[in-house]
Amino acid sequence: MASVELNGAVIDSEQAFHAECRRAFGFPESYSDTMDAWVDCLSYLRDEDGMTRFKLGANEKLEIVVKDAATMREKAPELLEEVAFCVGGINERYEDYGEKPALALVLR
């Protein structure tokens, strides 16, 4: 399983979240630092679009590990909830296209 790690200790705002995600996922320069853009980029993990540095196989998942999740939960609880909600929505999108879910969120 492919894995990416976000440092929850540095995520205290939406701006910090998107900066950390740019670094970790390798989002393109056109990434607009919004949750809509985050969802869009992670909806193409099995395509050749180059929206992230990851290219998953048909049954492969990308494990998103939030290290120091307790710190992120303390500093930006609504953002952590939104990330979990979006991961669920992205997986539903994959299922709507007849594919297996592509993401797993792990809080450490």
Side-chain angles (χ1 to χ4, degrees), residues 87-108:
V87 165
I90 292 166
N91 282 335
E92 285 179 20
R93 184 180 281 185
Y94 279 101
E95 289 174 334
D96 287 347
Y97 287 108
E99 298 180 37
K100 294 191 181 253
L103 298 173
L105 182 62
V106 178
L107 306 179
R108 292 202 176 127

Side-chain angles (χ1 to χ4, degrees), residues 26-100:
F27 289 149
E29 288 195 28
S30 61
Y31 180 72
S32 63
D33 292 346
T34 66
M35 288 309 290
D36 286 341
W38 193 82
V39 168
D40 287 345
C41 285
L42 294 178
S43 295
Y44 295 96
L45 290 168
R46 295 189 178 119
D47 298 334
E48 298 290 336
D49 292 352
M51 300 300 281
T52 72
R53 64 182 175 92
F54 298 95
K55 169 73 169 78
L56 301 181
N59 296 316
E60 191 177 9
K61 277 188 177 180
L62 174 62
E63 183 179 68
I64 301 171
V65 178
V66 181
K67 187 180 85 176
D68 293 323
T71 303
M72 182 179 172
R73 181 176 282 119
E74 183 180 304
K75 293 179 180 180
E78 68 291 336
L79 186 55
L80 190 56
E81 287 178 27
E82 187 172 10
V83 169
F85 177 80
C86 289
V87 165
I90 292 166
N91 282 335
E92 285 179 20
R93 184 180 281 185
Y94 279 101
E95 289 174 334
D96 287 347
Y97 287 108
E99 298 180 37
K100 294 191 181 253

